[in-house]
Amino acid sequence: MTPPCCSKCYRAGPDDAGERLDVFLAHCVKECSRSVLARLCEEGRVWRGGDRVGKGYRVSAGDVFRVEIPAPLPAAAIAQDIPLDVVYEDGALLVVDKPRGLVVHPAAGHADGTLVNALLHHCAGELSGIGGVSRPGIVHRLDRDTSGLLVVAKHDAAHRHLAAQLAGRQMSRVYEAVAWGVMRHDSGTVDRPIGRDPKNRKRMAALDAGGKPAVTRYIVLERFPKATHIECRLETGRTHQIRAHMRSLGHPLLGDRLYGAPDNWGLHGQCLHAKELAFTHPESGKAMRFTAIKPTYFTAVLEALRHS
């Protein structure tokens, strides 16, 4: 069930002119911290007239801002009996093949019915607490409409070990995707920082300055008249990294309307699958490698493209 939002409006006076928006709102919205208000700005929940505004906007006297404040989530996620495709499991971790459409952890708009709710039921109290009450055990995440593999930690030592591998670029993650348009080069590397898109706060963007370092390597697997089947290897793990990097090349992922794909081919979200995951086991030190076959939606898109 989605928690409701309440909208509140705040008018800036002469003394507020020139102040950053997040600072101004922190004086007005007593029920939210400044960090929460900054996040609401990034999520596109703060409006000036008909335009969303970011936290760095400088306030003018007379400005009226509407703030959408989500209802608070429960203090802890609840266990729910949701089917899981568990690829591997032992006392330290489990590897899950996530279906597209499943949100990883509770957040505004998705209070339950998430992977975390399913894990709490499946693991019955055996998840690492490092992720906090809403993200227990979650080492890395996949977007809602991205299918495929992710690893979950059962205790804190395993979580720290896996997180260190992720941060040190020692965890291998390989994706398959279908990009819009015909890509000319058989392979390539996108090495551009990623940060919040200043034109659309709901998406990320490859930036010329600022942002966090991000590197994606890709190879072409198959070309079609209107699209290209590619494999992507991540050297970093930024939010929406593949989606933003492919858009920067002029080839947004098929179905990804947020990033400008012109046709969805019947898809509801990006055609992106996390097909391979490799890491060192945090207890045994053994090299672990897992693969997940392409789901039905992905193979159906490929067949449709071959016959288009």
Side-chain angles (χ1 to χ4, degrees):
M1 182 177 178
T2 301
C5 294
C6 67
S7 292
K8 296 186 178 181
C9 293
Y10 303 91
R11 181 183 294 274
D15 294 340
D16 302 312
E19 204 163 50
R20 274 173 54 114
L21 178 58
D22 57 339
V23 176
F24 165 73
L25 291 177
H27 297 316
C28 302
V29 189
K30 301 303 181 184
E31 62 266 46
C32 295
S33 66
R34 181 174 168 183
S35 62
V36 169
L37 290 165
R39 190 180 73 243
L40 294 180
C41 290
E42 292 179 350
E43 292 175 352
R45 293 179 177 272
V46 180
W47 300 73
R48 175 183 172 274
D51 299 320
R52 293 184 176 92
V53 282
K55 65 182 181 180
Y57 173 83
R58 295 291 175 175
V59 172
S60 297
D63 281 348
V64 177
F65 301 97
R66 177 168 60 86
V67 184
E68 296 178 355
I69 303 173
L73 294 169
I78 59 173
Q80 292 178 302
D81 187 4
I82 299 169
L84 283 176
D85 185 357
V86 178
V87 176
Y88 174 85
E89 182 173 9
D90 62 23
L93 58 88
L94 65 161
V95 176
V96 176
D97 188 354
K98 185 189 84 69
R100 73 191 321 255
L102 180 64
V103 175
V104 170
H105 55 76
H110 300 281
D112 57 14
T114 71
L115 177 65
V116 162
N117 297 111
L119 289 168
L120 289 169
H121 180 272
H122 178 84
C123 296
E126 290 188 306
L127 290 177
S128 163
I130 287 179
V133 295
S134 66
R135 306 184 188 190
I138 300 300
V139 178
H140 61 114
R141 60 182 291 271
L142 298 175
D143 296 331
R144 178 182 63 186
D145 291 320
T146 300
S147 57
L149 299 170
L150 52 77
V151 62
V152 179
K154 284 191 172 182
H155 55 71
D156 289 358
H159 200 144
R160 286 191 290 268
H161 196 287
L162 292 165
Q165 291 182 56
L166 187 67
R169 304 186 183 185
Q170 297 163 328
M171 184 179 291
S172 173
R173 288 162 297 158
V174 183
Y175 293 71
E176 283 191 45
V178 181
W180 179 257
V182 181
M183 300 180 74
R184 290 188 302 162
H185 301 293
D186 291 337
S187 62
T189 299
V190 186
D191 185 354
R192 292 184 65 185
I194 286 179
R196 189 68 59 178
D197 189 334
K199 296 180 180 179
N200 186 336
R201 307 300 294 176
K202 289 187 175 182
R203 70 187 182 198
M204 310 301 287
L207 305 173
D208 294 322
K212 296 180 180 180
V215 180
T216 303
R217 302 189 185 277
Y218 69 89
I219 61 173
V220 170
L221 301 177
E222 189 174 2
R223 290 184 176 91
F224 309 103
K226 295 182 179 180
T228 308
H229 181 197
I230 58 175
E231 177 183 281
C232 297
R233 291 180 178 267
L234 295 183
E235 289 197 8
T236 54
R238 307 305 177 199
T239 300
H240 296 187
Q241 178 171 319
I242 294 173
R243 299 167 67 186
H245 271 170
M246 290 303 109
R247 180 177 185 269
S248 74
L249 296 180
H251 298 284
L253 300 187
L254 215 65
D256 197 351
R257 290 298 181 88
L258 179 62
Y259 283 84
D263 190 289
N264 65 10
W265 286 79
L267 290 169
H268 301 284
Q270 65 277 1
C271 194
L272 181 62
H273 176 62
K275 75 168 185 179
E276 185 178 301
L277 178 65
F279 54 87
T280 300
H281 194 282
E283 292 181 347
S284 70
K286 180 181 176 182
M288 312 288 286
R289 184 176 297 274
F290 304 93
T291 58
I293 63 171
K294 290 185 284 292
T296 303
Y297 83 88
F298 202 114
T299 55
V301 167
L302 293 178
E303 284 303 307
L305 287 167
R306 289 184 184 116
H307 294 93
S308 63

